[in-house]
Amino acid sequence: MRRLGLTTIFIFFISAFTNAQQVGFQFYQGVNKPMVSYQGNGESPSYKSNFESDTRIGVWVGDLNKLSFSMLMGASTVNAIYTSNELISSFSHSSLLIDIPIRYSFLESPISSIALGPSLGVLVASSQTTNGLPVRSEAIFNQTNYSVLAEIAFTGYTSDKLNIHPYMCYRMMLNSADSDGDKLHLNGLSFGLRMDFAK
């Protein structure tokens, strides 16, 4: 399944790349607030998480003033903890992200663009501990996760070769990251600056 997903994304992007009129590089730098949702054994513990870095780099194709899309690669890190009177449960999850947002731009508007697209996450490392002791194996976690991301960018600096826009992005996981029947969703809200470099 993971190989099929990666192959489909690669073929789709190469096809669009060869027919695109404009091509450039894209760089995201911001922060991400992970939102861990877990339900298992009839319980729904509330995990707290810290802000993490949101860094992505890739290529955009199309017309930044109208319709364009990108292929971005980045890393996702989630560190969360749940604390009760008798229990301390910590959770960590790291994955490689491949995002393909399709973007529509507005002219003369405070909102410069909106984007929507799929995201593929490939597991790198994941673990969970209870009171300091490991309670899960990485084999329990799905190796591939699918999400949808929505982005709003605001008016910023624009020129012929460089655009800089503040952005806000929400990522919603479509499947459970846990493969043993528990419901584990790793959503996230990120914001920062998006830089578009044109040739």
Side-chain angles (χ1 to χ4, degrees), residues 1 7 14 26-27 49 65 71 75 81 96 112-113 122 150-151 158 161 168 186 196-197:
M1 181 63 71
T7 302
I14 291 298
Q26 204 162 59
F27 179 69
S49 61
N65 294 320
M71 183 173 183
I81 187 170
L96 173 69
S112 63
S113 66
V122 180
E151 175 193 304
T158 59
K161 298 297 183 179
M168 181 177 295
L186 307 177
D196 308 320
F197 299 90

Side-chain angles (χ1 to χ4, degrees), residues 1-190:
M1 181 63 71
R2 179 174 64 180
R3 182 177 299 177
L4 177 60
L6 289 172
T7 302
T8 302
I9 290 175
F10 181 77
I11 294 176
F12 174 77
F13 187 78
I14 291 298
S15 176
F17 183 85
T18 56
N19 294 296
Q21 297 180 352
Q22 300 180 39
V23 180
F25 295 98
Q26 204 162 59
F27 179 69
Y28 283 71
Q29 183 60 61
V31 294
N32 177 58
K33 175 62 174 176
M35 301 176 182
V36 179
S37 173
Y38 177 75
Q39 294 180 353
N41 298 322
E43 299 180 352
S44 300
S46 179
Y47 281 89
K48 296 181 179 180
S49 61
N50 296 321
F51 283 93
E52 303 288 346
S53 174
D54 179 29
T55 302
R56 289 171 284 165
I57 189 170
V59 179
W60 64 265
V61 296
D63 186 349
L64 289 177
N65 294 320
K66 294 181 181 179
L67 186 66
S68 64
F69 67 92
S70 310
M71 183 173 183
L72 304 165
M73 296 190 68
S76 170
T77 301
V78 178
N79 292 298
I81 187 170
Y82 166 73
T83 303
S84 66
N85 293 333
E86 300 178 353
L87 179 68
I88 299 177
S89 175
S90 63
F91 176 84
S92 66
H93 187 282
S94 298
S95 60
L96 173 69
L97 297 178
I98 301 176
D99 299 340
I100 304 185
I102 301 172
R103 183 174 295 103
Y104 182 81
S105 300
F106 302 96
L107 297 177
E108 300 180 358
S109 171
I111 297 177
S112 63
S113 66
I114 57 174
L116 185 70
S119 175
L120 175 67
V122 180
L123 180 67
V124 176
S126 187
S127 64
Q128 185 177 4
T129 63
T130 299
N131 295 331
L133 299 176
V135 295
R136 308 178 77 90
S137 168
E138 290 187 4
I140 299 177
F141 294 88
N142 288 322
Q143 297 297 309
T144 304
N145 297 300
Y146 300 92
S147 302
V148 61
L149 58 90
E151 175 193 304
I152 298 178
F154 303 93
T155 301
Y157 171 81
T158 59
S159 67
D160 293 336
K161 298 297 183 179
L162 174 64
N163 298 331
I164 302 177
H165 296 285
Y167 75 89
M168 181 177 295
C169 179
Y170 181 72
R171 184 186 306 272
M172 182 178 67
M173 183 174 285
L174 300 178
N175 64 288
S176 174
D178 197 321
S179 63
D180 66 355
D182 295 336
K183 295 181 179 180
L184 174 63
H185 292 89
L186 307 177
N187 306 319
L189 179 66
S190 60

